[in-house]
């Protein structure tokens, strides 16, 4: 499965990314067993998404990165549904248009560090670690480009 990151979710369960199988698993601490495995692959052509870092968001959801899917996503722990935001809006390698990805109206790269005006992180940004700032924006590192970016979620 390739566990990569874990977090105690708002439901008090432990959530774990399964990097090698493109899933997020829920471990019920009281039952002492895994109760859910949620597929998070975002590629229609069978390419890997590579879920990585998990964090709790201020909105009560769990947020995670998709290294190969080139996306940042939120997971509602109650409905088990995900919503994905491109990081940035360019598709990842080999991906055709993803109907599950956020649109430019929902999420956009507002500010980037070390970028020239109009430059984006590119198709292979590979989002890694992420945090929320006090204004509710998601800041993340771009592993492949060596940059830091801000994603404003509306």
């Amino acid at each position: 499965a390739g566990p990569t990151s874990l977090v105690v979710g708002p439901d008090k369960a432990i959530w774990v990314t399964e990097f090698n199988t493109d899933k997020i698993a829920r471990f019920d601490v009281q039952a002492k067993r895994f109760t859910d495995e949620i597929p998070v692959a975002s590629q229609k052509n069978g390419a890997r998404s590579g879920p990585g870092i998990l964090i709790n968001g201020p909105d009560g959801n769990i947020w995670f990165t998709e290294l190969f899917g080139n996306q940042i996503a939120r997971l509602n722990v109650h409905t088990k549904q995900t919503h994905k935001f491109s990081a940035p809006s360019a598709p990842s390698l080999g991906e055709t248009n993803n109907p599950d990805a956020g649109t430019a109206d929902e999420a956009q790269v507002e500010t980037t560090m070390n970028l020239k005006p109009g430059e984006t992180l590119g198709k292979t940004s590979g989002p890694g670690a992420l945090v929320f700032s006090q204004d509710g924006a998601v800041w993340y590192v771009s592993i492949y480009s060596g940059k830091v970016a801000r994603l404003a979620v509306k």
Side-chain angles (χ1 to χ4, degrees):
T4 306
S5 179
L6 54 86
V7 68
V8 176
D11 61 349
K12 308 299 182 216
I14 296 174
W15 292 82
V16 181
T17 53
E18 296 180 357
F19 186 80
N20 294 336
T21 58
D22 295 330
K23 296 177 183 173
I24 295 180
R26 180 185 185 273
F27 184 81
D28 185 316
V29 178
Q30 299 212 338
K32 297 181 182 172
R33 64 182 181 88
F34 285 95
T35 57
D36 290 295
E37 277 193 331
I38 300 156
V40 295
S42 60
Q43 312 295 328
K44 286 188 174 186
N45 61 3
R48 300 268 327 280
S49 66
I53 306 300
L54 289 169
I55 65 168
N56 285 305
D59 58 358
N61 293 304
I62 291 177
W63 288 72
F64 62 96
T65 58
E66 289 187 354
L67 181 65
F68 303 134
N70 202 45
Q71 297 184 101
I72 294 169
R74 68 177 172 227
L75 167 67
N76 181 312
V77 300
H78 304 292
T79 66
K80 314 292 190 296
Q81 298 295 310
T82 61
H83 186 89
K84 301 183 180 196
F85 303 93
S86 294
S89 58
S92 64
L93 292 175
E95 181 180 0
T96 56
N97 292 328
N98 178 1
D100 297 327
T103 65
D105 290 338
E106 295 169 320
Q108 60 186 339
V109 175
E110 276 194 349
T111 306
T112 55
M113 299 175 134
N114 302 321
L115 293 180
K116 297 175 184 169
E119 183 181 12
T120 68
L121 294 176
K123 291 185 177 185
T124 57
S125 69
L130 68 161
V131 297
F132 278 89
S133 57
Q134 289 182 345
D135 65 356
V138 180
W139 286 86
Y140 63 95
V141 296
S142 171
I143 293 172
Y144 298 139
S145 69
K147 298 175 180 169
V148 176
R150 180 178 185 268
L151 178 72
V153 181
K154 296 181 182 178

